[in-house]
Amino acid sequence: MESIDYQEKFWRNPKNLKRDYSDCRFGQIHYRIVSNNDSSKRPLICFHLSPNSSRVYNPIISKLGEQRTCIAADTPGFGESDSPISPPNIQDYAASMGELVDNLNFKEIDVMGYHTGSKIALTLALQRPKQIKKIILISAPVYSDEELKNQKLTMGHKKVDQSFDDGNHLKKRWYGQLKWVDKDAPVIFTHREVVESLRGGENSWWGHRAAFEVSHKDLIPKIEQPILILCPNDDLLEPTLRAEKLLNRGELVRLDDCSHGMFETKSKKISKVINKFLDTKLVEHEITKQIITPDSESKNLKKVKKNYIDSLYGQLHYRKAGTLTSSPPLICFHMSPNSGKIYEKFMKEMSKDRIIYAPDTPGFGESDPPFQEPSIEDYAKTMSDFIDKLGLKKIDLIGYHTGSITCIALAILRPDIIRRIIQISCPIYNKDELEIRKNNYQRQPIKKNGDHLINKWKFMLPFYGKKTPRSILIRNFSEGLRGGPFSHWGHKAAFNYDLKNNIQKINNPILIVNPNDDLVKQTPRGVKFAKNATLFEIKEYGHGFLDIITEKFSAKVREFLS
């Protein structure tokens, strides 16, 4: 097992990589970019495999970015890209990526696609034959009828993403990843890939479904641009070897010592192959016959927008909804380990009469982690900086679990800007309870058999209850894994903060909300110690109530804030 230092370094984004958003027909596309403004070479845009995200490209675009600008985008519905309303096809995915190209003002580009992404790359090259100059495919399976039938049965349908109380769906996904992992890849790579694969939720199968509707056998012969097929020794080795004879121009390069995780373990070798292909002078060739790009009538206008801002620890990711009104802005802090995503439905409702923000705590969601273990005061300083950079002068706060404690620390730090506070849980522990919490929420080692995922799933189940849709648990479970080796930092900071004494320093009105979750016993104690607090009980729901009784809870919040 690799060291903790190695895992933490692995989990961080490369220093030369930034993340951003662009609008497309389905909402926002999230992408990673390594800029090279000094290069005259064509930019390279990369599309990932399904179900996954652009994060898989981190090490390779960091390396390739030494010579050219490189972008890796999240396919709509995966990573942080907004999801389509209904299952899209490959043409739709490609068209959305074409809109990203336009928004970035690129005239000519090269493209690279990995598994499902290879079909997006080929389709985009057909939609934009004069703009796409070279194509790299990481696996290009030419299936037999029997192989395609088996792929559809095992990956391309709704039941693939079905979850079970015993966590067997996680075991299946873990071993599905582990089976084809590069022999040199660390176990944290498998963990990260499972985490990213879970983020598509109940619609994770949409990517495979779209991929299986089109065939490399049909696509490749239509392409006149040079194609490099990289053929690693993974689950698509045999069908990919059949693609070589379909090339009009280009080559297939076998990577027999590579499999999933090769960007992490062999980025130097692979980048050398890629650069050689991309740098070879283009020879005149016939123009690929252009296909029609589907229109964008299905454009999905999202009420919640996502963005980044530079913070004390790198990029801070946040969500925003609504516009400035006479009502003070509302800032939302999430629980640990999770992200601002838990507030999205609540934000849509509350944004009807005010502007509302939900930042990801540093180290969680898409926010960069601190350089060392933070305290609640460190979180509060980061959020104070965030609020100042937004130019907000007077605000209200709502915090959930760890976030509720950050609210108190921020109110002490910045009494000049905080008006009212809503705490979803206000845990005042006795000595024995605190010791139990500290033991239960320590760093959880990644186990080679994936049992750490099943243990976490079973631990979370009781706090959601039978009334909570499984989709909410799946979302919160996957978001809770995204802190990786930093996941325990939020709880550790919370348990080290003296909430009982610090809440007594607050003069602001506080609404303490007590859902029926894992802090239902400790939360009412907060009213005893706070100077100006009222208690609001939610006895029928635990975690997930923000999504289930959104309008009812929002009404209570508005009543308190007004």
Side-chain angles (χ1 to χ4, degrees):
M1 185 72 68
E2 58 269 7
S3 69
I4 296 302
D5 286 344
Y6 176 91
Q7 291 189 355
E8 290 185 359
K9 183 178 179 181
F10 175 94
W11 207 261
R12 294 178 186 272
N13 288 299
K15 291 181 180 179
N16 62 345
L17 182 147
K18 295 291 184 183
R19 291 149 292 151
D20 207 343
Y21 285 95
S22 181
D23 291 330
C24 77
R25 62 188 58 208
F26 299 123
Q28 288 182 289
I29 282 185
H30 180 251
Y31 65 93
R32 299 160 192 273
I33 181 167
V34 178
S35 298
N36 191 326
N37 297 325
D38 296 328
S39 175
S40 59
K41 296 178 180 180
R42 291 184 300 274
L44 175 67
I45 300 189
C46 309
F47 313 124
H48 60 81
L49 65 167
S50 297
N52 208 284
S53 79
S54 60
R55 194 171 184 180
V56 72
Y57 281 110
N58 267 10
I60 196 71
I61 65 171
S62 177
K63 185 69 176 173
L64 292 170
E66 295 171 3
Q67 296 194 27
R68 70 195 78 238
T69 292
C70 293
I71 295 96
D74 291 348
T75 306
F78 298 93
E80 281 293 347
S81 288
D82 288 333
S83 179
I85 297 172
S86 56
N89 56 38
I90 289 294
Q91 290 84 357
D92 295 321
Y93 284 142
S96 67
M97 295 304 170
E99 290 161 352
L100 170 63
V101 172
D102 291 342
N103 293 340
L104 293 173
N105 295 314
F106 293 148
K107 305 303 179 186
E108 294 182 344
I109 61 169
D110 299 321
V111 294
M112 178 160 65
Y114 194 154
H115 285 213
T116 299
S118 70
K119 293 183 177 180
I120 295 174
L122 290 170
T123 304
L124 185 59
L126 286 164
Q127 291 175 353
R128 298 175 175 234
K130 293 182 179 180
Q131 192 174 24
I132 313 300
K133 297 302 181 181
K134 290 189 177 183
I135 305 163
I136 302 167
L137 309 178
I138 302 167
S139 302
V142 177
Y143 296 119
S144 66
D145 291 343
E146 187 64 28
E147 286 170 338
L148 182 58
K149 180 181 178 181
N150 183 61
Q151 291 286 66
K152 288 181 176 181
L153 284 173
T154 55
M155 290 186 281
H157 57 89
K158 188 174 184 178
K159 288 185 179 180
V160 171
D161 295 314
Q162 188 175 356
S163 60
F164 301 95
D165 288 354
D166 60 8
N168 270 345
H169 60 293
L170 298 170
K171 192 75 131 181
K172 181 180 178 183
R173 189 161 296 210
W174 178 267
Y175 279 106
Q177 291 283 350
L178 199 62
K179 183 178 180 181
W180 297 106
V181 75
D182 190 281
K183 63 181 176 61
D184 298 319
V187 68
I188 195 170
F189 168 78
T190 301
H191 176 75
R192 190 195 70 191
E193 294 304 277
V194 171
V195 172
E196 293 301 310
S197 75
L198 290 169
R199 294 182 61 201
E202 294 180 318
N203 297 329
S204 289
W205 60 281
W206 283 8
H208 281 130
R209 171 194 171 277
F212 297 147
E213 287 181 344
V214 295
S215 168
H216 283 101
K217 184 179 180 180
D218 295 329
L219 292 173
I220 293 175
K222 297 176 182 177
I223 301 292
E224 299 294 342
Q225 297 102 314
I227 297 175
L228 170 65
I229 300 177
L230 297 179
C231 185
N233 188 15
D234 65 10
D235 45 317
L236 300 182
L237 169 64
E238 291 300 325
T240 294
L241 291 175
R242 301 171 195 148
E244 186 172 18
K245 63 182 180 181
L246 301 175
L247 293 171
N248 288 318
R249 52 187 50 82
E251 62 177 328
L252 182 145
V253 174
R254 290 191 63 157
L255 301 172
D256 291 333
D257 62 338
C258 299
S259 191
H260 297 303
M262 60 186 179
F263 292 158
E264 307 287 347
T265 61
K266 302 175 179 68
S267 60
K268 185 176 181 180
K269 171 184 176 177
I270 295 169
S271 62
K272 186 176 180 180
V273 175
I274 290 172
N275 280 327
K276 180 182 177 181
F277 171 72
L278 295 180
D279 290 343
T280 301
K281 186 177 179 180
L282 268 171
V283 177
E284 282 194 29
H285 57 77
E286 293 183 36
I287 301 297
T288 297
K289 185 177 180 181
Q290 187 173 13
I291 64 172
I292 296 174
T293 301
D295 61 40
S296 58
E297 289 181 1
S298 61
K299 189 164 185 177
N300 200 351
L301 299 176
K302 302 284 184 177
K303 290 185 178 180
V304 177
K305 295 288 186 180
K306 294 166 284 188
N307 208 341
Y308 288 95
I309 196 168
D310 289 334
S311 77
L312 303 181
Y313 304 114
Q315 288 188 283
L316 187 79
H317 183 254
Y318 68 96
R319 289 166 170 79
K320 171 187 174 183
T323 56
L324 283 170
T325 66
S326 58
S327 298
L330 178 62
I331 314 292
C332 312
F333 303 143
H334 60 80
M335 70 184 100
S336 295
N338 214 281
S339 77
K341 194 170 185 177
I342 65 165
Y343 283 109
E344 283 194 351
K345 190 174 180 182
F346 173 74
M347 292 177 74
K348 292 175 185 176
E349 176 62 31
M350 288 299 298
S351 66
K352 292 177 179 178
D353 58 5
R354 74 197 68 221
I355 196 166
I356 180 168
Y357 297 89
D360 292 346
T361 305
F364 299 96
E366 276 295 334
S367 289
D368 284 325
F371 309 115
Q372 57 189 9
E373 288 190 12
S375 64
I376 289 295
E377 289 87 352
D378 291 327
Y379 289 149
K381 289 175 185 176
T382 306
M383 296 309 169
S384 172
D385 177 70
F386 168 70
I387 291 161
D388 286 343
K389 285 177 177 173
L390 292 176
L392 307 178
K393 303 302 181 184
K394 188 66 70 172
I395 61 169
D396 296 322
L397 298 177
I398 180 169
Y400 199 144
H401 283 215
T402 301
S404 73
I405 301 174
T406 302
C407 286
I408 300 303
L410 182 58
I412 293 173
L413 178 67
R414 296 296 304 276
D416 56 312
I417 59 172
I418 308 303
R419 197 180 72 103
R420 292 179 175 243
I421 301 168
I422 301 160
Q423 288 184 287
I424 302 174
S425 302
C426 180
I428 306 292
Y429 300 108
N430 62 41
K431 185 177 179 181
D432 291 340
E433 289 170 340
L434 188 58
E435 286 304 310
I436 292 172
R437 293 276 163 172
K438 287 182 176 180
N439 287 330
N440 287 343
Y441 290 93
Q442 294 181 42
R443 183 195 303 273
Q444 297 300 314
I446 298 171
K447 298 185 178 180
K448 291 183 178 179
N449 63 2
D451 278 354
H452 60 291
L453 296 175
I454 295 172
N455 293 339
K456 182 177 177 63
W457 176 264
K458 290 181 178 179
F459 180 78
M460 289 178 63
L461 267 175
F463 305 124
Y464 284 78
K466 295 181 179 179
K467 293 182 179 180
T468 304
R470 183 56 60 85
S471 60
I472 296 173
L473 171 57
I474 292 169
R475 179 200 68 195
N476 287 5
F477 178 78
S478 61
E479 288 298 298
L481 293 170
R482 293 181 59 207
F486 310 109
S487 291
H488 68 294
W489 281 8
H491 282 124
K492 188 173 181 179
F495 299 147
N496 287 335
Y497 187 78
D498 189 351
L499 180 60
K500 183 172 77 173
N501 285 321
N502 281 315
I503 200 171
Q504 297 177 53
K505 302 174 185 177
I506 304 298
N507 294 313
N508 309 64
I510 303 175
L511 176 66
I512 297 177
V513 181
N514 191 27
N516 190 16
D517 63 17
D518 46 317
L519 297 180
V520 65
K521 180 180 176 181
Q522 293 79 17
T523 291
R525 298 170 189 164
V527 180
K528 176 182 176 182
F529 295 100
K531 292 179 181 177
N532 187 12
T534 55
L535 184 67
F536 176 52
E537 300 269 8
I538 302 178
K539 296 180 179 180
E540 65 272 33
Y541 296 105
H543 293 308
F545 78 91
L546 283 171
D547 296 270
I548 301 169
I549 55 168
T550 313
E551 292 184 5
K552 178 181 176 182
F553 181 66
S554 297
K556 181 66 179 179
V557 169
R558 283 195 180 93
E559 177 189 338
F560 170 74
L561 295 180
S562 65

